[in-house]
């Protein structure tokens, strides 16, 4: 494919990417929310979008099935980032990676006395690194969603999850006790495509960079 393929996920990343696309002169020809198409054309004959799960974006770009993509820092850490350049922090889909516990669980005390913690999370690499740096021993329990449930039914002591407003935590009697890192979405670029399609990609990358509103 001589044109440019950009991998995006539906939902907040797509919505927040539209202004960046507009800045690059790219208008999708339909909305992925209403269309069932997974390949979406644009006003530019040389640019198409593919719609994939948020966690799959780095994989498509790493293997060159997409030249560019937009993925959360959370997703990039779990993926590992091999084969990818990450030239621009887009400052979209912002949230925080947090440790959360049930109300009344004394996290600081558990850490101080060296307790072994059961941690439920979708983000096992991030959690592993965080607790290793703190010197806390953990049993990691991999989940694919609804982490908030785990401490409520005795599956885990704490969770590691993304928090924006804290509404979901509050509704489930959980409280955020520690920030691990702030999260935003990044532009990711296939390293080979960056060389082979440089002239077509560079203006898109620069337009995105110029449209970032931190
Ligand atoms: P799905 O919801 O389809 O299971 P997902 O949770 O991976 O998949 P999204 O919920 O669309 O997909 O999240 C995509 C990205 O948006 C995440 O990787 C993260 O970087 C960011 N994100 C997730 N939750 C929030 C939030 N509450 N506020 C802001 N950004 C968020
Ligand atoms: Mg989600």
């Amino acid at each position: 494919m001589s044109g440019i393929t950009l991998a995006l996920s539906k939902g907040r990343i797509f919505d927040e990417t539209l202004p960046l696309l507009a800045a690059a002169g790219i208008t999708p020809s339909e909305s992925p929310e209403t269309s069932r198409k997974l390949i979406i054309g644009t006003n530019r004959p040389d640019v198409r979008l593919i719609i994939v799960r948020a966690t799959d974006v780095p994989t498509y770009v790493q293997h060159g099935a997409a030249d560019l993509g937009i993925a959360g820092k959370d997703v990039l850490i779990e993926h590992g980032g091999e084969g990818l350049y990450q030239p621009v922090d887009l400052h979209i889909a912002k949230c925080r990676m947090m440790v959360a516990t049930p109300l009344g669980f004394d996290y600081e005390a558990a850490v101080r006395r060296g307790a072994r913690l059961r941690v439920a999370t979708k983000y096992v690499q991030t959690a592993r690194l965080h607790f290793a740096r703190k010197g806390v021993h953990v049993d990691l329990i991999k989940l694919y969603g609804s982490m908030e449930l785990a401490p409520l039914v005795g599956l885990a002591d704490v969770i590691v999850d993304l928090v924006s407003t804290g509404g979901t935590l509050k509704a489930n009697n959980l409280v955020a006790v520690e920030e691990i890192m702030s999260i935003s979405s990044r532009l990711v670029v296939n390293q080979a495509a960056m060389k082979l399609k440089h002239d077509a990609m560079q203006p898109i990358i620069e337009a995105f960079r110029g449209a970032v509103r931190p």
Side-chain angles (χ1 to χ4, degrees), residues 12 53 122-123 162:
R12 61 172 64 85
R53 284 294 291 265
K122 190 167 150 183
Y123 307 102
L162 298 176

Side-chain angles (χ1 to χ4, degrees), residues 71-85:
K73 185 178 175 186
D74 50 316
V75 163
L76 290 166
I77 290 173
E78 294 299 312
H79 170 269
E82 310 101 88
L84 304 176
Y85 291 127

Side-chain angles (χ1 to χ4, degrees), residues 68-69 84-90 186-190 194 202 205-206 209:
L68 303 162
L84 304 176
Y85 291 127
Q86 298 182 27
V88 189
D89 178 352
L90 299 169
R186 316 288 156 121
L187 181 64
V188 295
V189 182
N190 176 273
M194 190 64 193
Q202 196 58 29
I205 295 169
E206 287 314 317
R209 201 195 304 279

